[in-house]
Amino acid sequence: HADLMSGAVTGLYGINLGDVWNNWVGRLTRLWADQSTNGKEAQTLVRSYLERVNWLAFQTGNHDAWSPGHSDIVQEILKNARVPVSKHQMRLEVMTPSGRSVRIMTRHGFPRNSMWNAAHGVAQRAQLDGWANIYVGGHTHVSGYQHGWHDGFQQMWHAVQVASYKKVDDFAEELGLLPCDLYCCPVAIINPYATSEINFIRWEFDPFEGAERLKWERKRWVN
């Protein structure tokens, strides 16, 4: 996925939702015994990852903030790329060539959960806030999606809960949890020339399919 977001596909950018470090603290420090990387190697891996991706924005998470200096390392790596970095939440407005803007709100994690709806917290913020076209959060290792219409802003909203890349772990098995991490890298296909809200933003939840659709869309409009 990092290679896919490296700039190889024109118009494809990445937004990180936080926790690029394990950075175990407190009672979780015992998990250091189960990983093969030390602190110096972790810094090398994080730097390699951050420098490979064509970033649009970067949101840090609780693991990044647990030890002083980790968020500073992220800032230092990304400052030359002029990538906006936020520690808590971010409101981002992107201007497109057509003159139409796309508003995105990110948080590492939105408050409030539901056992019946993985996107509950994100969708609630979208309905109450209404400012953004896209609301996206991570943190809880589950994925989900909802959309709707905000009458006050006269626009469609998209609420996306993105699962993490945390795959090698026995926590879910220990608690008997069902798999909820259906996707960890959804792609929003934004068509700035769309004449209807339903065609303005579309989603592909497999990033490789998303890249192919983006190429196809660009062929229709870019000459």
Side-chain angles (χ1 to χ4, degrees):
H1 291 172
D3 287 339
L4 190 65
M5 303 284 174
S6 66
V9 179
T10 303
L12 188 61
Y13 298 86
I15 295 180
N16 190 284
L17 295 174
D19 289 352
V20 291
W21 310 88
N22 279 339
N23 195 23
W24 306 117
V25 297
R27 63 183 177 82
L28 296 176
T29 305
R30 59 184 173 79
L31 296 175
W32 277 110
D34 297 326
Q35 70 179 49
S36 61
T37 54
N38 59 33
K40 186 175 181 180
E41 289 169 334
Q43 287 192 26
T44 300
L45 289 168
V46 167
R47 182 177 294 274
S48 173
Y49 167 61
L50 295 188
E51 291 177 346
R52 286 167 63 191
V53 175
N54 189 24
W55 295 111
L56 180 66
F58 197 98
Q59 179 78 63
T60 59
N62 57 305
H63 284 254
D64 305 318
W66 275 340
S67 293
H70 283 71
S71 294
D72 295 337
I73 291 173
V74 171
Q75 292 271 12
E76 185 270 324
I77 294 171
L78 296 178
K79 67 179 180 181
N80 292 330
R82 301 178 68 182
V83 176
V85 179
S86 174
K87 291 184 178 180
H88 302 292
Q89 72 177 33
M90 181 180 296
R91 292 180 183 266
L92 184 70
E93 186 168 14
V94 180
M95 297 303 299
T96 72
S98 73
R100 186 173 186 178
S101 69
V102 182
R103 291 176 173 178
I104 304 168
M105 180 180 178
T106 70
R107 278 190 66 88
H108 177 57
F110 283 86
R112 298 180 178 81
N113 299 300
S114 167
M115 65 183 292
W116 304 113
N117 181 3
H120 174 72
V122 194
Q124 184 190 60
R125 179 62 59 87
Q127 292 173 77
L128 295 177
D129 180 72
W131 174 83
N133 306 101
I134 298 172
Y135 295 81
V136 58
H139 182 56
T140 56
H141 314 294
V142 299
S143 54
Y145 169 68
Q146 279 188 248
H147 63 266
W149 177 261
H150 196 283
D151 207 38
F153 282 84
Q154 288 294 295
Q155 65 184 14
M156 185 175 177
W157 54 262
H158 303 258
V160 188
Q161 174 65 40
V162 181
S164 74
Y165 287 90
K166 183 181 180 182
K167 303 298 181 185
V168 184
D169 181 72
D170 62 357
F171 183 70
E173 184 177 349
E174 177 185 338
L175 297 182
L177 303 177
L178 296 174
C180 296
D181 53 346
L182 299 178
Y183 47 83
C184 52
C185 188
V187 174
I189 310 295
I190 298 166
N191 181 353
Y193 303 102
T195 56
S196 69
E197 283 290 308
I198 198 69
N199 292 324
F200 180 37
I201 300 171
R202 292 174 176 267
W203 293 88
E204 290 287 351
F205 296 99
D206 180 328
F208 295 100
E209 292 295 320
E212 292 303 311
R213 182 176 181 99
L214 176 61
K215 294 176 187 176
W216 177 77
E217 289 277 9
R218 286 180 60 83
K219 286 179 181 179
R220 299 171 65 197
W221 299 105
V222 178
N223 296 312

